[in-house]
Amino acid sequence: MFSLTGKIAIVTGASRGIGFALADGLAAAGAHVVAIARSAQPRVPFSHPVQYISADVSGAIGEVFAGVAQAHGRIDILVNAAGITLPGAQDEAALANFERSLQVNLTAPFACCLAARPHMPPGSSIINVTSIGSIVGLPDNPGYAAAKGGLRMLTKGLAVDYGSSGIRVNALAPGYIHTDMTAKSFSDPVLHEQRRAHTCLGRWGTVDDLLGAAIFLASNASSYITGHDLLVDGGWTAKGLV
Ligand code: NAP
């Protein structure tokens, strides 16, 4: 039920961090994985066979997807994990950062969905990596909040639009996961403790904590689940009083 053997998967944002772990993990579960990010190479080699393509999801990504579909005949799984964070709500770059955040974190995932859909057979799965910031307000990052909230609702809208084609579209919403994106707060003792203490499980997440949920959403195990937010946040959003 959870096997991905024979499935063709694309994972964006896979040169490091969450996307890298999901690409490697989907390959371990049997998928043929095409990993995409801007870097010329992944930061470290994958542990499993993964095809790597250097590309910018905010650029001409349709050509990349068409190439994958031509080479493999179809696309069964799309994981939109590429993302950026550009904090600053008041500084002079705030508006430019807002627009760039929307471009990479919201418009690009939609462009990837548009590029993948014609090649996706019934039973295919799209996973949009959102954030707890798609559900609760977090400070000093309006572009990230707007983009991830938008991606959460885009997920539900596309679940409606693609449902009749048998394509499922779900959101995977991580809490605080230790990656480059969160390196600053992870290494700051006060910020680290604030984020740890707000979880129910009493710890930060690791990239590997997301893999089971991603395999679940990518596989037939979730065959009747679409338009769903799957929170993998250690209970961060469940907890009220800290
Ligand atoms: P990360 O370590 O900074 O990795 C981001 C990845 O996205 C890198 O592989 C980067 O590769 C790629 N990327 C960025 N811009 C791109 C572009 N224009 N085109 C193609 N690839 C691009 O961040 P992460 O923590 O793994 O985050 C992955 C996803 O999870 C993001 O969507 C993020 O918003 C989300 N998320 C993270 C957390 C967390 O706590 N870490 C929490 C909630 C949600 P290149 O630089 O090589 O392009």
Side-chain angles (χ1 to χ4, degrees):
M1 192 183 262
F2 290 88
S3 171
L4 301 180
T5 301
K7 304 269 191 194
I8 310 299
I10 293 180
V11 182
T12 73
S15 61
R16 60 178 186 272
I18 291 170
F20 177 93
L22 298 187
D24 214 25
L26 295 189
H32 176 92
V33 178
V34 179
I36 295 174
R38 292 166 304 175
S39 303
Q41 299 289 337
R43 177 176 293 165
V44 297
F46 290 100
S47 304
H48 300 87
V50 171
Q51 181 186 349
Y52 184 85
I53 297 176
S54 173
D56 185 336
V57 292
S58 66
I61 200 65
E63 296 166 17
V64 177
F65 277 59
V68 172
Q70 191 173 24
H72 300 289
R74 63 185 196 284
I75 299 166
D76 300 296
I77 299 162
L78 166 61
V79 182
N80 282 311
I84 55 170
T85 179
L86 299 170
Q90 301 295 338
D91 57 51
E92 61 188 22
L95 187 57
N97 285 344
F98 186 91
E99 288 175 341
R100 179 65 181 157
S101 296
L102 291 183
Q103 186 182 30
V104 176
N105 295 342
L106 179 56
T107 305
F110 182 47
C112 291
C113 291
L114 287 175
R117 189 196 176 179
H119 311 289
M120 297 190 105
S124 296
S125 171
I126 295 173
I127 301 170
N128 291 323
V129 178
T130 58
S131 166
I132 56 173
S134 72
I135 292 168
V136 298
L138 298 171
D140 197 42
N141 211 332
Y144 192 82
K148 292 298 187 178
L151 186 58
R152 174 172 181 260
M153 285 312 301
L154 176 69
T155 300
K156 295 179 193 302
L158 294 184
V160 175
D161 293 342
Y162 294 3
S164 60
S165 304
I167 301 168
R168 299 181 296 106
V169 190
N170 290 292
L172 179 60
Y176 283 96
I177 310 295
H178 182 205
T179 66
D180 282 11
M181 188 175 277
T182 52
K184 200 172 158 195
S185 48
F186 188 84
S187 58
D188 179 304
V190 174
L191 298 179
H192 181 106
E193 176 57 16
Q194 278 176 346
R195 284 150 180 73
R196 185 204 67 77
H198 201 115
T199 66
C200 297
L201 297 179
R203 67 173 178 85
W204 277 60
T206 69
V207 292
D208 291 336
D209 285 321
L210 297 164
L211 183 54
I215 291 173
F216 171 66
L217 290 177
S219 70
N220 290 338
S222 59
S223 57
Y224 200 53
I225 297 177
T226 193
H228 185 70
D229 286 316
L230 182 45
L231 286 153
V232 185
D233 67 350
W236 211 93
T237 48
K239 195 169 183 178
L241 189 63
V242 178

